[in-house]
Amino acid sequence: MRTLLFLFCAFTTCILNAQHTNIKVSATGVSGSNEPAITLDPKAPNRLVVASNNFYAQYTTDTGHTWTSLPLSCSYDFAGDPTLVVDTDGVFYLFHLAGQYNTPGWLDRLICQKSYDGGITWTDGTYLGYDSLKDQDKQWVVIDRNTNHLYVTWTQFDTYGSLVPTDSTNILFSKSTDTGFTWTTPIRINDLAGNCYDDDTSVEGAVPTIGPNGELYVSWSDIEGIKFDKSTDGGFTWGADVLAATQPGGWVMDIPGIQRCNGLPITECDRSNSPYKGHIYINWADQRNGSNDVDIWISKSVNQGQTWSTPKRVNDDVPGKHQFFTWMTLDQANGTIYIVYYDRRNDNTNINKTDVYLAVSKDGGQTFMNQKISDTSFIPNANIFFGDYINITANNNIVRPIWTRMVNGSRSLWTALVNPDLFVPAGVPSESAKILDFAVFPNPVTNKLSIALNLNYSSQIEISLRSLTGEKIATLFDARHVAGHYQLDKDISALGLATGLYLMELKSEKEHKICKVAIR
């Protein structure tokens, strides 16, 4: 395990379209590098896991600077729609569809696989929602970190794609109270069923979240708009559906260069100790400004979903450009809202040229600051499936989006090392730029160590090794650095250090930081 100390300090200079370092997560051209999911372990935030439709899982032990990709296997088959969560013991859970393609009820169950080693190896898994005659689709999961109970919501098709009027789609719910070993019999939670066309007339996109007191909240799209429901008894009973927002044009939309596109909703609730604790948010895309101007929206409820605010437009570009495939997360350490999406505001000559943007709200969704976070634009190909969603995770100012990029028809997965302190309102005065991050790896260290250093200003940098009592053992680095990203390598074998814990101290002209490092 690598010990990381992330230092996110107040940086209030207005920086427009600031670049956030992009990291490739999967190899270019790997089939199925779409519909990615990402999560981090709040107790060990250096550990993140990614999964997508490419039959691989990627993991990192240095907060996303480097990634390792390993093949996934499952005796129940792997049919896509991955989603990830992690419990308080550091166990990662991967959920996905399973079944044999093009057979009756081919998506007949949902699979839950577990990793006890940070995404390196996975159990064969258990399954839930099994029905040999029906199709399961788009499961989403939330974990209650007070109990480690797992809650899953998804869409069930009587027969996928059926035009028979009596065939329907419904939102189902199941839970596990024993860390995914057994699952409750699924129950239906929606009042209004949809048909099986897999379009605006079907019910789809049920994403659950947890409230501060264990409440269960979920929203989804149907022919009437975005519906919301809740349970206050662990999912045993559910209330009447509430229309949280209309979705003009429906949840299916046409985006040039995209084989298919949806604006399905994402649900989040603030469980932090911010002033907005208990607020529920729904984020989606729709065409209320016209089919040639798809936008990203958010609505919130401050009374447990009884009433909802007027939809607020999240993207801040001029009208007439497309924004699509949105995903939202909320940093439960401080209440900051992060919304990632594809954006086409920057090119008037090629309307298919696509960027990735991140919108950030630090005031409970009242205002948003938008920045481009992708280094380069790309052009998708409508003949190649691009997926139905992207994803983002955040905890205590470590923010990692995940998206699919397509170049010459080849897809790859990318993340960005987002610095939240670069998202500041225009006109706010600057005090001083601070170090963005400082990481020691690997950890434990044997003979050689590396230090990843991101600087936002020029400074003399001294990095020293000290005992746990503070006694200075050696100065490892002492030099002036301009703003930028560095990897500093050092062979410490000549120091003759005993096995144990030490302190790594960093001093700049503006900061003094310390983290622990293990020597073996």
Side-chain angles (χ1 to χ4, degrees), residues 398-443:
I398 299 176
V399 184
R400 298 294 180 261
I402 186 79
W403 69 87
T404 297
R405 185 171 183 266
M406 185 182 295
V407 177
N408 297 324
S410 292
R411 295 163 297 186
S412 55
L413 300 179
W414 290 77
T415 188
L417 307 182
V418 173
N419 175 21
D421 291 325
L422 297 184
F423 289 84
V424 292
V428 174
S430 173
E431 208 175 78
S432 64
K434 302 292 186 178
I435 295 172
L436 302 186
D437 69 53
F438 158 48
V440 182
F441 63 94
N443 197 330

Side-chain angles (χ1 to χ4, degrees), residues 53-103:
N53 287 339
N54 63 14
F55 304 99
Y56 284 81
Q58 289 80 30
Y59 71 91
T60 178
T61 57
D62 58 10
T63 70
H65 289 76
T66 60
W67 293 84
T68 300
S69 184
L70 294 173
L72 282 168
S73 64
C74 176
S75 62
Y76 301 109
D77 199 12
F78 190 101
D81 283 357
T83 187
L84 291 159
V85 292
V86 60
D87 68 18
T88 56
D89 295 320
V91 178
F92 287 82
Y93 298 78
L94 167 62
F95 292 79
H96 57 85
L97 305 177
Q100 298 297 317
Y101 181 68
N102 243 1
T103 61

Side-chain angles (χ1 to χ4, degrees), residues 110 131 134-139 152-160 165-173 186-198 201-206 218 220-222 241:
L110 310 173
D131 191 323
K134 297 185 180 182
D135 295 297
Q136 319 308 315
D137 193 31
K138 289 204 167 24
Q139 78 296 327
V152 187
T153 52
W154 71 96
T155 294
Q156 179 176 266
F157 288 76
D158 284 345
T159 304
Y160 183 82
T166 55
D167 283 340
S168 62
T169 46
N170 289 291
I171 304 300
L172 300 190
F173 166 83
I187 62 171
R188 171 180 166 176
I189 65 175
N190 59 306
D191 298 334
L192 177 66
N195 60 31
C196 287
Y197 298 172
D198 196 16
T201 54
S202 304
V203 297
E204 268 281 20
V218 62
W220 63 89
S221 290
D222 67 17
D241 298 349

Side-chain angles (χ1 to χ4, degrees), residues 430-465:
S430 173
E431 208 175 78
S432 64
K434 302 292 186 178
I435 295 172
L436 302 186
D437 69 53
F438 158 48
V440 182
F441 63 94
N443 197 330
V445 176
T446 51
N447 294 324
K448 297 180 180 180
L449 62 80
S450 296
I451 294 175
L453 177 66
N454 289 350
L455 270 177
N456 229 14
Y457 58 94
S458 297
S459 176
Q460 188 76 15
I461 298 294
E462 179 184 342
I463 302 176
S464 303
L465 189 66

Side-chain angles (χ1 to χ4, degrees), residues 278-293:
H279 290 193
I280 312 167
Y281 305 91
I282 301 178
N283 162 231
W284 73 96
D286 71 30
Q287 306 165 82
R288 69 186 60 225
N289 286 330
S291 60
N292 293 321
D293 186 14

Side-chain angles (χ1 to χ4, degrees), residues 24 42 60 65 67 88 97 175 237 244 246 313 319 325 345 347 409 419 423 438 452 471 480 482 500 515:
K24 184 185 286 188
T60 178
H65 289 76
W67 293 84
T88 56
L97 305 177
K175 70 177 181 180
T237 60
T246 59
R313 185 174 181 257
F325 281 150
R345 72 180 70 183
D347 199 305
N419 175 21
F423 289 84
F438 158 48
E471 180 184 359
R480 188 161 192 85
V482 299
C515 71

Side-chain angles (χ1 to χ4, degrees), residues 348-373:
N348 294 318
T349 58
N350 189 334
I351 61 171
N352 288 9
K353 186 172 284 188
T354 305
D355 297 303
V356 181
Y357 270 67
L358 183 63
V360 177
S361 177
K362 301 180 182 181
D363 57 8
Q366 298 176 65
T367 61
F368 282 88
M369 294 161 280
N370 289 246
Q371 282 186 21
K372 177 184 170 183
I373 61 170

